[in-house]
Amino acid sequence: MSAEKRPSAARPFTPIQLKRRTPVPSDIEIAQESDIKPISDVAAELGLLPEEIEFFGPYKAKVKLEVLNRLADVPDGKYIDVTAITPTPLGEGKTTTTVGLSQALGAHLGYKVITAIRQPSQGPTFGIKGGAAGGGYSQVIPMEDFNLHLTGDIHAITAAHNLVAAAIDVRMLHESQATDEQMFERLMPKNKHGKRSFGRGLVGRLKRLGIDKTDPDDLTPEERRKLCRLDIDPATITWRRVLDTSDRFLRGVTVGRGPNETGHERETGFDITVASEIMAVLALTTGLADMRERFGKIVIGLDKAGNAVSCDDLGVAGAMTVLMRDAIKPNLMQTLEGTPVFVHAGPFANIAHGNSSILADKIGLKLADFVVTESGFGADMGMEKFFDIKCRYSGLVPNVVVLVATVRALKMHGGGPKVVAGKPLDTAYIQENLELLRAGMPNLLHHIQSARKFGIPVVVAVNSFATDTEAELELIRKMSIEEGGAVDAVVSRHWEFGGQGAVDLAKAVVKASELPSQFQFLYPLEWPIKQKIETIAREIYGADGVDYSELAEQRIEEYTRLGFDKLPMCMAKTHLSLSHDATLKGVPKGFRIPIRDVRASVGAGFIYPLLGEMSTMPGLPTRPAFYDVDLDLETGRVTGLF
């Protein structure tokens, strides 16, 4: 690829030299020992202008969206999506591979590269999984900032989401205690000159009701009633509250227990913030105006006549946009070798669409030869949603899928002992066992075929561990190409060696990016909801069919009546199996997918069916990761993150 297509940088790229040690220290030790560039240098090397960034301390910044206007005529770089096979509960190093590949492309092969990944949730950071900055010598730094707060985007989402929740309950309370005329007087009070006006928060509802009058006093009694009385049916409310902590005791709560709210109690609950529709909107929006429009379209429930009630109806969409006006800007950080990273949005891939933002990718593709982004969990989860949801809204066409596999995970799929986070691995995973490995290979081959159904070349990245043998690694390589149809399969040792350990992988990706491809979606949006659900279940999961609960049937009928049936599907299921059942490993056969509920994220622009017993609020284990996290009071450094 010709680097001349990219905008000129204020200064040439200078890699950071790794301070490698053997054995490899903990992630946080590596991160804190590393040299680090001022973020102003990272921005300058990337070709960003000083007026296009906003600093958050010396090592992180936000990038203003105006850069897209300046670079509108610049051709896009190559677009790489990193995904994985069905993982163990330990994860298979997908983020580490994403970072290592980027370091190899930028610090060793001389390409201009941007890594585009999600911001981690506090839930898993303090729970089981730990942080999400990568690992070993392929990490994003500062690691502590990356995993803790960053620039406050998740907090902004929490604030905006809970503002909507408060608006719903207080609107029902006030409507129950006032006449139509009283509601009219309160929503459109006279000013000191005796004149009324429609507040900005009423504009959306006026438009939806088809009322084009400009003076509130000209409204008929019927128009006043329609404008001022939402008449929300409490039984239909789907908008819960959110918190960015894994707190299982908030999965179900009763609100309205205060002395002044007697008689208005209702059952609701909390989701984790990264499952919020506002997070999904942040990841899928293409600009500030688009975000405002999407917020207005968010449906929180139905009125008693069966009509959808939106955030525009509540009059809260403008305030949501104000709370999110800074969060829409991608965050700029760097890898251990000084290559630039965009960190933006953080939707889970099992209960949301699991991809970082369209805006970060769009900006990155104008600035870099390669944008390496990552889809959450396995190819059946984040990758399918990357293609069928994210790419639909972005209009971007990916060039290569990098599919991460490990010997460990494939042995588990071959029938190996249960893998449990926090417990030592069984000897089956650390001793050569080609028979067990071969038995697990169908899971990898299935994921390769799933990616190929979208018409994109696949490169398998075998994330190598110290206990893997050459025979095991070669078996994966050979079967991936000969039986799976991958264009290449490369062993990568980026965790131990950084970008140097991923140079062969990077060369394979560059070569694959020049191959012709025929990208296509799995289904057209015009299909009915059920047909889209069943196509994903059959083609990606390998299910025999789909069974719908009575509630799911009702919701599908309801959403079809309301005109939401032309949206893409965002399947919420376990990431630990191709099926809905986390205990079914490998490539399960003879199963049917149960759909217990179907919900609509109209603002984000998708329908999300809930497969089996999916929880939108994780819980903490007996020994959470926060047991190890503390502050060194002498140095001020964070300890215990991983």
Side-chain angles (χ1 to χ4, degrees), residues 230-243:
L230 301 184
D231 208 20
I232 299 168
D233 180 356
T236 68
I237 295 172
T238 54
W239 195 264
R240 291 151 58 91
R241 285 160 171 80
V242 297
L243 187 72

Side-chain angles (χ1 to χ4, degrees), residues 152-204:
D153 293 350
I154 291 181
H155 301 315
I157 293 166
T158 303
H161 185 109
N162 290 336
L163 179 65
V164 177
I168 294 167
D169 284 309
V170 79
R171 185 58 175 263
M172 292 192 294
L173 173 69
H174 290 314
E175 285 189 22
S176 72
Q177 297 174 343
T179 64
D180 294 346
E181 193 61 27
Q182 287 172 328
M183 288 298 296
F184 174 77
E185 291 283 346
R186 294 171 187 174
L187 289 174
M188 285 154 283
K190 291 180 180 179
N191 63 19
K192 61 183 179 181
H193 303 294
K195 295 291 291 181
R196 301 183 196 276
S197 62
F198 295 116
R200 292 179 64 89
L202 289 169
V203 173

Side-chain angles (χ1 to χ4, degrees), residues 118 120-121 123-124 244 272 274-275 279 346-355 376-377 385 570 618:
R118 292 172 294 162
S121 164
D244 194 42
I272 196 158
V274 288
M279 175 64 87
F348 276 5
N350 53 354
I351 52 181
H353 70 280
N355 286 270
F377 293 130
K385 295 169 184 178
C570 183

Side-chain angles (χ1 to χ4, degrees), residues 6-64:
R6 310 270 65 84
S8 59
R11 66 186 69 183
F13 173 78
T14 302
I16 296 172
Q17 297 301 311
L18 294 176
K19 299 176 180 179
R20 294 207 311 251
R21 288 198 279 143
T22 304
V24 176
S26 69
D27 290 350
I28 196 165
E29 285 181 271
I30 293 172
Q32 291 177 343
E33 287 176 0
S34 174
D35 293 333
I36 185 168
K37 299 179 188 179
I39 202 66
S40 56
D41 289 357
V42 177
E45 292 174 349
L46 195 51
L48 289 166
L49 303 179
E51 61 268 26
E52 291 170 341
I53 58 175
E54 296 174 351
F55 294 105
F56 280 73
Y59 304 121
K60 55 185 185 288
K62 278 192 169 291
V63 178
K64 297 180 182 179

